[in-house]
Amino acid sequence: MPLSCDAIGPQLGAYCDNELSGAERRAVAEHLAACPSCSALVETDRRLGDHIAGGGPVSGAGTLAERISLALDREEADLGGAALPRLPTVASMRLGRRVPAWAQAAAVVLACLVSAGASWIAATRVETSDQMIREVMQAHVRALLQDNPVQVASSDSHTVKPWFAGRVDVAPDVKDLASAGFPLIGGRLDSIGDKRVGVVVYKHNLHWLNVYISQAGAVALARGAPDGARAEATQNGYNMICWTRAGVTYWAVSDLNMPELRQWQALM
Amino acid sequence: MNRRSSFEAQAVPHLAAALTLAFWLVRSRSDAEDIVQNSYVRAYRAFDSFRGDNFKAWLLAIVRNQSLTWLSQRKRQSNVISFDEAFAAQGSSEPGEARIASDVPSAEDVLIGEGERALVMAALDQLPPLYREVLVLREIEDLSYQLIASVTGVPIGTVMSRLARARARLRDIVLAQEKKEACR
Ligand SMILES: [Zn+2]
């Protein structure tokens, strides 16, 4: 019994794209041989697809290649090598030798600012960033000890993102990166210092990844941070990347190693 | 080969694909170039940790996410933050940008059904971004459903149904337009 046009419809494209096999493929082929109207649809779609292939590509990427090469030069100059500069760890700050205040400030400036302007430099203090790192790290460890890491459990960004509306004063970027190995687990509320913050929770294999979200400027390290600013820190085996975008500061903490954490962050 | 040249050897060949994808998502050449540049810097930072089996798909996933972030930020500026809007039709609210179909067609392009191609590019432009991207990845980049799935972060079944809906929508727009012109 041949399938109806309605039943076959969704598979026509997959058939033409060579994405069907076995019985499915044979069923569509049989139907097409007997059905002029579906054959006409396939013909039309193929023609329109050819138009997209012919008229869609954007040419002239050559100048962009030069721009990117310069941007990578700058990136390498900023980084002074492969790794990003690091924020001073809490341990090193506490136990560290006395260093002149200006040197501490310079260290943080180097650590915090990857591609940032001068405004953040003036506003950033060693003590406050140190405290902020410690508090976010503590919040992460606290969360790991809880039975239930999320208040809204969903792998659907369309469920998790709206959940934050009215609960925190920012709308965080929430992405389901399951296909990249970082499934979305859900969201919850937490507090950093005396401020309520949103937390988006991801997982990578057995590792939890907590992303604390706050309005840029509401926390000390992020005050005045320009969009695109980005920093990394390591403490007690936990790694952190923080960045600011569109008025929102993100603090991602995990026991993932830093390269994995960077790989995840590149997708955000 | 050092890290930098190894990255460039892998990433530069995909520059046209990256630019094309970004362009069809944000529909502005200069914004697309900024997004691609930014994406390449991000990819370079994370390059050491790339373990996947398809570099192009990973790179395009970064470009794609950066493009959608850019789109959602523009929405946010107009007080609309729903990500679901990525499925909503664009309408013609931005007449200034809506007509940037692509670069000047070659002579050969013009010979092959000039009229219909222009209609198709205009119709593609009207589709929601998530439909535009599957069509671009399939028809221009010739990616398998598996790779489209890893670029867009959805299951293969979703790629199949989304592509079917995108094609149906495109077909409806183009055929309706052709009918209208034939009656004129
Ligand atoms: Zn049929």
Side-chain angles (χ1 to χ4, degrees):
Chain A
M1 179 67 196
L3 290 164
S4 72
C5 294
D6 282 349
I8 218 92
Q11 297 195 315
L12 287 178
Y15 173 82
C16 296
D17 293 331
N18 268 323
E19 295 278 350
L20 295 183
S21 57
E24 283 181 323
R25 181 168 184 80
R26 277 193 300 279
V28 177
E30 274 170 31
H31 182 95
L32 281 176
C35 177
S37 71
C38 283
S39 299
L41 276 188
V42 161
E43 264 321 297
T44 303
D45 283 356
R46 197 170 277 166
R47 197 175 73 239
L48 301 189
D50 288 345
H51 283 314
I52 294 177
V58 178
S59 58
T63 53
L64 180 57
E66 286 165 29
R67 268 179 57 185
I68 289 175
S69 182
L70 291 174
L72 294 180
D73 288 345
R74 279 197 303 276
E75 177 76 7
E76 287 187 326
D78 283 345
L79 303 189
L84 271 174
R86 300 184 153 244
L87 289 168
T89 65
V90 172
S92 73
M93 293 308 300
R94 267 214 227 98
L95 305 174
R97 348 168 264 294
R98 290 284 312 158
V99 250
W102 65 265
Q104 289 190 11
V108 166
V109 165
L110 181 71
C112 296
L113 305 178
V114 173
S115 56
S119 57
W120 203 12
I121 298 177
T124 308
R125 292 275 163 116
V126 170
E127 300 78 39
T128 49
S129 65
D130 178 23
Q131 183 190 343
M132 190 62 204
I133 295 165
R134 186 168 47 220
E135 287 184 354
V136 173
M137 293 278 193
Q138 281 170 353
H140 175 70
V141 175
R142 211 162 54 225
L144 292 178
L145 296 174
Q146 286 168 3
D147 290 336
N148 190 359
V150 291
Q151 288 166 283
V152 54
S154 173
S155 61
D156 184 355
S157 58
H158 302 122
T159 304
V160 176
K161 189 183 168 86
W163 184 82
F164 286 108
R167 291 185 167 89
V168 288
D169 52 6
V170 290
D173 281 332
V174 178
K175 292 178 181 167
D176 180 14
L177 301 171
S179 63
F182 298 93
L184 176 64
I185 304 299
R188 68 166 190 279
L189 299 177
D190 205 330
S191 54
I192 301 288
D194 54 0
K195 185 171 166 51
R196 183 154 70 161
V197 296
V199 189
V200 185
V201 183
Y202 298 85
K203 234 182 153 173
H204 183 62
N205 300 328
L206 295 173
H207 306 276
W208 294 96
L209 205 169
N210 280 309
V211 188
Y212 295 83
I213 287 137
S214 149
Q215 211 171 23
V219 292
L221 180 58
R223 190 171 299 134
D227 262 20
R230 185 172 172 284
E232 295 181 355
T234 298
Q235 185 200 336
N236 297 337
Y238 296 108
N239 288 309
M240 169 193 283
I241 297 181
C242 72
W243 71 97
T244 296
R245 183 167 61 212
V248 181
T249 297
Y250 299 81
W251 310 77
V253 196
S254 177
D255 57 350
L256 284 175
N257 64 38
M258 194 57 100
E260 286 173 315
L261 196 56
R262 280 184 207 136
Q263 190 185 1
W264 166 82
Q265 202 254 335
L267 294 168
M268 286 303 289
Chain B
M1 212 191 284
N2 69 20
R3 178 172 181 270
R4 169 77 179 270
S5 40
S6 158
F7 174 78
E8 290 186 336
Q10 289 195 66
V12 171
H14 303 307
L15 198 50
L19 183 60
T20 296
L21 177 61
F23 171 81
W24 280 107
L25 280 170
V26 303
R27 296 179 308 152
S28 142
R29 169 98 195 205
S30 65
D31 289 325
E33 291 195 352
D34 289 349
I35 287 166
V36 170
Q37 178 181 328
N38 183 21
S39 302
Y40 268 58
V41 171
R42 281 164 174 267
Y44 183 55
R45 277 182 202 147
F47 182 53
D48 291 339
S49 59
F50 171 71
R51 297 271 184 280
D53 47 10
N54 193 296
F55 183 77
K56 182 179 185 179
W58 179 68
L59 191 64
L60 290 183
I62 296 175
V63 171
R64 183 258 183 189
N65 287 346
Q66 292 295 311
S67 302
L68 289 188
T69 299
W70 185 95
L71 280 180
S72 72
Q73 281 168 7
R74 280 223 329 192
K75 296 269 182 199
R76 201 172 294 161
Q77 282 165 7
S78 51
N79 278 334
V80 188
I81 54 171
S82 165
F83 210 73
D84 297 312
E85 300 234 345
F87 269 122
Q90 290 290 311
S92 49
S93 54
E94 290 145 313
E97 281 186 7
R99 291 299 126 213
I100 319 168
S102 61
D103 287 344
V104 183
S106 69
E108 188 196 26
D109 289 341
V110 176
L111 286 178
I112 316 166
E114 180 192 8
E116 187 170 63
R117 176 157 301 176
L119 284 183
V120 171
M121 300 331 286
L124 180 60
D125 202 33
Q126 287 174 41
L127 294 180
L130 295 187
Y131 287 170
R132 292 201 296 267
E133 73 174 358
V134 286
L135 285 170
V136 166
L137 293 172
R138 177 61 220 156
E139 308 292 7
I140 301 177
E141 302 309 328
D142 202 25
L143 294 190
S144 68
Y145 287 12
Q146 170 75 56
L147 289 183
I148 296 175
S150 68
V151 172
T152 56
V154 297
I156 290 183
T158 307
V159 171
M160 187 174 12
S161 54
R162 200 176 276 178
L163 201 44
R165 269 180 264 133
R167 281 173 168 150
R169 189 92 78 91
L170 186 82
R171 191 199 308 135
D172 288 348
I173 297 174
V174 172
L175 295 186
Q177 193 66 31
E178 282 177 342
K179 208 181 224 172
K180 206 155 85 185
E181 290 188 1
C183 292
R184 215 174 269 159

